Amino acid sequence: MSIELTPHEARVIGCLIEKQIAEEQAKAAKAWLELASDLAAKDLKAEAEDALKRARALAPESPGLSDVEAKVKGLAGQATPDAAAMKRIGKTREEVAKAYERMAKVLEKEQQDARYAGSLVTALQLSPTKPRQTTLGQMAQKAPLLVSAEGH
């Protein structure tokens, strides 16, 4: 059974989808920004810069971004991550991966949208889990996936 939408209804649905995606991106950017701030407090410059880069990519106008950037820029960066820092990084990666899964869920009916597969791939890159691997494997069996991965 297929439902025909009027152009107005389609635009409304499209706006709702974009709003939900923007909300998830903002949550992910906030998580990266908080991580960058925490890492800066431990003088972990390289790790803080990576978290800042990720926050900026998601929400370049995030409140507090410039403050954290200034703090990170002034770091000596002599420290190396301890177990607590690595655990904190892992927690943020999992939190952001879940945000990307929620973005994909919003786009589930629009699987031809490249953001659908891209969100799932990003979630897998951030926090590889068996269910994420299975989901992408099943998608790849149905049709080839063309996604860009960071660094490629």
Side-chain angles (χ1 to χ4, degrees), residues 6 25 43 46 81 128-129 132 136 152:
T6 67
Q25 286 176 326
D43 196 33
T129 63
R132 290 181 184 131
L136 280 168
H152 289 34

Side-chain angles (χ1 to χ4, degrees), residues 30-44:
K30 183 178 183 218
W32 285 124
L33 193 56
E34 289 172 355
L35 176 64
S37 182
D38 291 352
L39 295 172
K42 295 182 176 210
D43 196 33
L44 298 169

Side-chain angles (χ1 to χ4, degrees), residues 3-4 13 17 21 38-39 45-47 50-51 61-62 68 86 89-91 104 106 111 119 122 129 132-133:
I3 299 173
E4 291 291 322
I13 290 171
I17 287 171
I21 290 171
D38 291 352
L39 295 172
K45 186 172 186 166
E47 293 80 1
D50 180 62
E61 302 298 321
S62 290
V68 176
M86 295 307 292
I89 291 168
K91 180 181 173 206
V106 168
Q111 291 186 11
S119 294
T122 301
T129 63
R132 290 181 184 131
Q133 291 171 348

Side-chain angles (χ1 to χ4, degrees), residues 49-112:
E49 286 175 335
D50 180 62
L52 266 176
K53 179 181 90 172
R54 292 171 186 268
R56 193 179 311 108
L58 287 165
E61 302 298 321
S62 290
L65 185 65
S66 58
D67 295 337
V68 176
E69 283 177 332
K71 188 188 320 183
V72 170
K73 191 174 187 178
L75 293 176
Q78 302 298 321
T80 56
D82 60 4
M86 295 307 292
K87 184 176 179 181
R88 175 73 173 86
I89 291 168
K91 180 181 173 206
T92 298
R93 291 177 72 88
E94 179 58 31
E95 182 181 340
V96 174
K98 287 179 182 177
Y100 274 99
E101 284 182 329
R102 289 188 298 269
M103 283 184 243
K105 188 167 179 68
V106 168
L107 294 164
E108 200 165 30
K109 292 188 175 159
E110 303 295 328
Q111 291 186 11
Q112 72 277 9

